Each structure stands twice: as structure tokens, then as C-alpha cells.
Amino acid sequence: MLSVRDAETTIFNLTQPLQHPQDTEIVDLLSVNRILATPITSQLDFPHWDNSAMDGYAVRYADVESANHEQPVILEIVEEIPAGYQPQSTIQSGQAARIFTGAVMPKGADTVVMQEETHRDHNHIQILSAPKNQEFVRHRGSYYQAGNQLLPAGIRLNAPEIAVLAAAQCVKISVYRKPKVAILSTGNELVRPNQSLQPGQIVDSNQYALAALVHQMGAEPLVIGIVPDDKQALQQAIADSITTADIVLSSGGVSVGEYDYVEQIITSLQGTIHIRAVAMKPGKPLTFATFDQDERNILYFGLPGNPVSALVTFWRFVQPAIAKFSGLVDAWQPQFINATTTQELRSAGKRETYVWGRLSLVDGVYQFQLAGGSHSSGNLINLAQTNALAVIPVGEKVITAGNAVKVLKIGN
């Protein structure tokens, strides 16, 4: 049985990201949550021209550097410049132009005086306070200079990045294809949510939870469905999955029961098993294997069947593996935060233990609040609305309220 750290190292080292150019495609600008495959440069400066950051008056600093309320400087207004208008005048000594936020600075002017520091009288303006030299002027190229790298490859495209691409007039973008993740559940006791429950049966919630998580990550879930505890049926399902998917997730069938066939099937399909169990709670019966399929390295995760165990192992190992595989260069690793627990946390101390709850920021300090109710691996109910897993290290049985705890973020 591997430690969590050794299991993590094994999985992440064997996870190789998609490659450029064979794993890329061209998409349109509104394709959010995709991974950029090539760096972006622009032929535009940002800002595109010197412009005003304030409603006010464009002036020559040399004219107004001594202005004050007792001795205001009086300038002639020679032009009004709204946003989107090309100035026609060159500001001479003793002159000013009325200007609005975002408008192009006229030639000759180097400073903007905000309108609150002025008094207008017809076509003249009194400057009541001396501005700083070049105040409220956004200079061309001060944010970004044309020809430099604007966005690096290997980042996720969310709203801010989409805005940058739109501003740079990049309407077609090279991104990595979506990883395909096959998802199947095993067990004769499982039924679909729209079926009537008979004694001894349970609803297959894992299929839906895992598909939702895969979708949230920008990958493509391939929902295989429920496979009975039949060796031949399960072997066919896994064989089909590794021919169509990049990553396969099965839940159930990885323990030591008489109907747990996953490891036998992996071996018979020429897969290599790297992990059979992990010293963690919940999530001990985790299988991780790889298949060499048509020069593709397929990742296989045999997750525990218990709903909480399946999700905890997904968050701890599968989610970062999918993120790395998808082409993310940074920020694919699990994100841990040091927090203070508001309640006592308990563990048997034999395995690294994960308990779920809510992480919040209170007066600049992260706090972890344990979810109420039983922390059984079969209790899916109190996992709802949680966003973090607190980690109790091996050998530690109690973390008292008010003490530090390492917390894995699992939500927004």
C-alpha cells in the first residue's frame, strides 16, 4: 500500500500532457475553459494611443504647473474631444482641449486636469490646482508593446483571457483538444436515477458526479453507464473504453471481493498496474494503471465504489492528472491552503485522513468548518455544499479547534 505522496508522484509522473501540434484544434473566440496551445502575440500596442484616463482638460504641463486657487491659470478651450474622435488641433501654450475618458490625447498636450479642479467660463477654463506632470494620461504601449508575448501557451482561457484575445482581435485560437474521459460504474446493486429501487439496490450517483466534475474541467465525459458484476461484460466495457478514451474512470470493483474483477481484467488487457491501494481514508482501494494503446498512453483509475471515497480520490489524484493531461503548464497541481479549524478533527491515525467541510476567509485568515453529520465514506448527503477537504496526517489522531490544518480546495 503506497503513501499518498508516493501515489501522487507515481500518477503525476505517468501523466503526460497533450502535444502540439497533433493534439490541437482551432476554435472561435467564445470557446471558454479551453487550454491555449500556442503563445499569442499581437501587432497592436495597448493602449493603442495616448488617451485620457479622466474626464477633464488636456493641457501642457508647463502651462499649469504653478496653478492654485489663489492664482488660477486661465486657458483657452480650442477643441472638444469625445471618445472615438480624432483630435484636429495641436495644443499650443495657453490652450486646452475638453477631453473625456478614453479619448485620444491631442498633439501638444501631455497632462490631463480632472474637471473637478477647474472652473469653466464659456470658451476659457480656470485651472485651480496644479496636476502632476503627465497625470491621467495612459501612454501608448504602457500596458503591452506590439510583438511581445501577450498570452503564453498552456493556460486556461477564462473570461479575462477571452477579453484580452478579443481586444487583440484574435478571433481564431489554437487550443488543445478536450481530453476524452470514459466513465463507468460496476455493480449488480446499481440502478439509474429514473428506476424504482428494489431492496438492496442503490442509485448510481458516481456516474453523474464524475461526469459533472470532468465536464467542469473542460474535458469530454464519455458516459458508459452501469456494468454488472460480470467479468466478460466488464472486460468488454473496459476494452472499448481504452480504445476511445484518453482516461478511463471506473467506480467499484477494485476491492478484494469475489466480484471485484478490475485488476484481473487490466492484466488480461495488457495493462500495467502501478497502484493497488493507497494509505488514505477514505479512498484506500484505489487502482491506477496505464495502457499502451496505438502509441497512446491511456490512464486508468479504478475508484472505490463508495460515493465519498470516489469523489475524494478524484479530487486528490484524478482532477490534477486530467488538468496536467489537458495541457496546463502550471496550476494543475492540487491546491492546499493553511487554515485554522473551527472544530476538533479526529482520525484513527493509521492512514492520511480527509474530512470535508467549508473553507472561508475571515478577517484575512482561512478557516475550516467541518461538515455536520457522519463522515462515513457512504454518506454522500453532507458532502453537498462543501468546498474543501481537511487533511489529518498519518500518526495524528486529533487536531483541536483553533489549530492549523492543511486544507485541499475542491471547489470555487
Side-chain angles (χ1 to χ4, degrees):
M1 184 163 56
L2 291 181
S3 68
V4 172
R5 177 59 60 86
D6 287 344
E8 174 186 74
T9 300
T10 298
I11 292 169
F12 296 166
N13 284 346
L14 289 167
T15 301
Q16 298 303 313
L18 295 170
Q19 297 297 308
H20 181 273
Q22 62 266 32
D23 291 318
T24 63
E25 58 188 11
I26 303 298
V27 298
D28 63 37
L29 181 60
L30 289 179
S31 300
V32 297
N33 204 22
R34 301 299 298 271
I35 309 301
L36 190 63
T38 57
I40 299 293
T41 60
S42 175
Q43 299 309 307
L44 298 173
D45 290 321
F46 288 86
H48 309 320
W49 47 74
D50 291 357
N51 70 91
S52 176
M54 186 68 63
D55 289 350
Y57 294 87
V59 301
R60 292 159 50 100
Y61 176 73
D63 287 345
V64 299
E65 60 181 326
S66 62
N68 56 61
H69 280 266
E70 289 72 30
Q71 293 182 311
V73 171
I74 300 175
L75 302 174
E76 179 188 8
I77 302 171
V78 297
E79 189 173 17
E80 182 169 294
I81 310 172
Y85 173 80
Q86 181 63 39
Q88 303 299 305
S89 301
T90 297
I91 304 303
Q92 307 292 336
S93 180
Q95 296 179 336
R98 177 72 165 120
I99 196 166
F100 296 89
T101 303
V104 178
M105 288 288 291
K107 293 180 180 179
D110 57 17
T111 300
V112 173
V113 179
M114 61 189 299
Q115 62 188 21
E116 290 82 356
E117 298 297 333
T118 66
H119 175 72
R120 183 166 181 168
D121 183 14
H122 299 293
N123 66 332
H124 286 83
I125 188 71
Q126 293 184 17
I127 308 299
L128 305 177
S129 176
K132 296 178 181 177
N133 188 19
Q134 303 185 50
E135 190 168 28
F136 300 126
V137 176
R138 296 183 288 218
H139 292 283
R140 175 175 179 168
S142 59
Y143 303 161
Y144 167 83
Q145 294 181 351
N148 292 328
Q149 181 173 282
L150 184 63
L151 293 176
I155 63 170
R156 192 176 296 279
L157 298 178
N158 289 315
E161 293 75 26
I162 295 296
V164 169
L165 291 168
Q169 299 184 312
C170 296
V171 296
K172 296 293 182 181
I173 309 113
S174 175
V175 299
Y176 289 109
R177 65 174 178 83
K178 293 183 177 183
K180 294 181 179 181
V181 183
I183 304 169
L184 57 97
S185 300
T186 68
N188 292 333
E189 74 280 14
L190 299 177
V191 297
R192 295 187 301 274
N194 60 350
Q195 291 181 275
S196 298
L197 281 174
Q198 301 300 319
Q201 293 182 328
I202 57 174
V203 173
D204 174 25
S205 61
N206 289 350
Q207 187 91 204
Y208 295 87
L210 295 173
L213 288 167
V214 168
H215 181 73
Q216 288 173 6
M217 296 187 66
E220 180 182 350
L222 307 177
V223 178
I224 306 302
I226 299 170
V227 182
D229 286 322
D230 176 85
K231 187 175 182 180
Q232 185 175 353
L234 184 56
Q235 178 155 335
Q236 187 62 55
I238 294 175
D240 291 343
S241 296
I242 62 177
T243 62
T244 58
D246 303 297
I247 299 170
V248 180
L249 308 180
S250 67
S251 63
V254 292
S255 188
V256 291
E258 294 181 5
Y259 298 101
D260 295 335
Y261 301 122
V262 169
E263 287 195 8
Q264 300 175 40
I265 292 169
I266 291 172
T267 301
S268 68
L269 292 174
Q270 307 303 309
T272 302
I273 299 175
H274 305 278
I275 298 173
R276 288 180 167 83
V278 180
M280 64 184 294
K281 183 180 180 181
K284 175 185 173 182
L286 170 69
T287 297
F288 173 68
T290 55
F291 293 88
D292 185 3
Q293 185 77 14
D294 298 327
E295 298 184 355
R296 297 183 303 124
N297 190 42
I298 310 302
L299 306 180
Y300 185 97
F301 293 88
L303 307 180
N306 282 330
V308 174
S309 299
L311 292 180
V312 169
T313 50
F314 182 95
W315 284 317
R316 186 63 183 85
F317 302 116
V318 183
Q319 181 166 291
I322 294 176
K324 182 181 180 183
F325 183 90
S326 69
L328 274 177
V329 173
D330 296 311
W332 56 264
Q333 298 91 342
Q335 184 179 359
F336 290 97
I337 289 175
N338 292 322
T340 299
T341 179
T342 61
Q343 296 144 287
E344 183 177 270
L345 308 179
R346 286 189 167 271
S347 164
K350 296 180 180 180
R351 290 179 275 160
E352 187 166 294
T353 301
Y354 293 76
V355 292
W356 46 99
R358 287 201 63 82
L359 183 70
S360 57
L361 191 61
V362 180
D363 297 329
V365 177
Y366 280 106
Q367 292 186 354
F368 176 80
Q369 182 177 1
L370 188 68
S374 166
H375 276 247
S376 162
S377 61
N379 182 14
L380 183 64
I381 303 304
N382 68 343
L383 197 62
Q385 300 185 58
T386 60
N387 65 356
L389 301 172
V391 184
I392 306 173
V394 177
E396 197 163 345
K397 295 185 177 182
V398 179
I399 300 178
T400 56
N403 282 337
V405 63
K406 186 170 73 170
V407 176
L408 173 65
K409 289 187 67 176
I410 60 173
N412 296 326

